[in-house]
Amino acid sequence: MRISELSRRSGVPVATIKYYIREGMLPPGRATSATQAEYGDQHVRRLRLVRALIGVRGLSVSATREVLRAVSAHESDLHEVLGLVLGGRPATDRSCGGNGDGAADAKAGDSASEPTGSTPDAADSTPETAGSAPADAAGGGDRAAEPTEADTLIAEMGWRVSDGAPGRGVIDETLDTLRSLGMDYHWRTLVPYAELAERVAVLDLDELQHSTDPIEQAERAVVLTILLEPALLALRRLAQENESAKRNGD
């Protein structure tokens, strides 16, 4: 297809597509002349993933470029790809094709701007947000000799979770905060919630089986995970109101 058709099918303006190609986030098309190129379905899928990472997950252009570079290095490993796009794996790991110098890359990438006339991405100049806590803040790096409460909970559940998973740090910090407020919460309190989360994860992964293409699955995973989270929180609030009505209502 021509770039105009690629723009129509992906919903991304032509100027933005050219910008993504210059930034190395989208492979160039097959040249058919000095001024024209052809694009295929793989470009449509990659564009959708780019837009999901920037527009839905909220990554900057430079962070998105690092994630895509790592995804390309592990495209045949769906587990690794999902970890990268959802924030469970560091995109700047040398083994993933990054250069380990995330700060330098971010500075170089964030200094660029999209061309006039394109639809700017809301988070192009913002740091990573959802699911992208630094490894040392998320329990990664030099882990303490003694297992944390998150470590113990994960072991109790029998889960296979990487040491650098950001959720580990979130669990430990949340439990510490609750105890500082005088609430007797510890890792065992979270076991029933972990069991519910495990059932939700089964539903999440089932939703990805509609496609066998890893890039399309990655894009779908980002959209479903991030966009469904407010609805899941809303369902919890509605269920709490219902339960309170049954127990305490007139």
Side-chain angles (χ1 to χ4, degrees):
M1 72 189 81
R2 302 281 290 276
I3 194 169
S4 57
E5 174 67 9
L6 176 62
S7 173
R8 188 188 67 79
R9 288 184 56 184
S10 66
V12 179
V14 170
T16 304
I17 293 174
K18 292 179 177 180
Y19 170 74
Y20 289 158
I21 293 174
R22 290 198 306 271
E23 289 294 308
M25 298 158 64
L26 185 71
R30 184 179 65 86
T32 57
S33 70
T35 59
Q36 293 184 347
E38 288 184 344
Y39 302 86
D41 289 338
Q42 71 274 20
H43 290 90
V44 177
R45 292 191 291 268
R46 182 60 63 113
L47 270 176
R48 288 173 177 166
L49 177 57
V50 170
R51 298 300 280 184
L53 291 172
I54 293 176
V56 178
R57 194 179 154 204
L59 298 188
S60 66
V61 168
S62 59
T64 299
R65 183 172 55 245
E66 288 298 326
V67 169
L68 292 172
R69 184 182 301 171
V71 165
S72 295
H74 297 278
E75 196 163 322
S76 62
D77 185 346
L78 181 58
H79 179 63
E80 191 73 19
V81 167
L82 293 180
L84 288 164
V85 299
L86 294 177
R89 292 282 193 277
T92 53
D93 186 353
R94 292 179 184 274
S95 65
C96 294
N99 58 15
D101 190 3
D105 287 345
K107 183 177 180 181
D110 287 337
S111 63
S113 60
E114 293 199 0
T116 302
S118 65
T119 302
D121 295 307
D124 278 355
S125 59
T126 60
E128 294 190 24
T129 52
S132 55
D136 56 350
D142 297 329
R143 296 185 62 77
E146 291 294 324
T148 67
E149 287 192 275
D151 295 334
T152 306
L153 173 61
I154 290 168
E156 175 72 14
M157 295 299 299
W159 287 353
R160 297 165 56 190
V161 179
S162 60
D163 286 347
R168 290 177 180 269
V170 173
I171 290 172
D172 289 328
E173 184 177 348
T174 300
L175 291 175
D176 286 343
T177 301
L178 287 169
R179 283 194 293 269
S180 72
L181 297 174
M183 304 187 72
D184 186 22
Y185 269 67
H186 49 80
W187 70 267
R188 289 191 181 278
T189 312
L190 296 182
V191 169
Y193 294 95
E195 291 170 344
L196 291 174
E198 191 171 58
R199 293 169 56 190
V200 172
V202 171
L203 294 174
D204 288 339
L205 270 294
D206 284 347
E207 284 295 317
L208 302 183
Q209 303 308 309
H210 301 296
S211 171
T212 58
D213 182 88
I215 299 302
E216 189 170 343
Q217 287 182 311
E219 181 262 342
R220 187 176 178 85
V222 173
V223 172
L224 286 176
T225 299
I226 305 301
L227 295 187
L228 268 180
E229 283 178 348
L232 295 179
L233 180 59
L235 286 172
R236 184 185 183 191
R237 296 289 182 264
L238 294 172
Q240 287 173 339
E241 180 179 347
N242 172 67
E243 185 64 22
S244 177
K246 289 193 295 184
R247 297 187 184 196
N248 310 309
D250 187 351

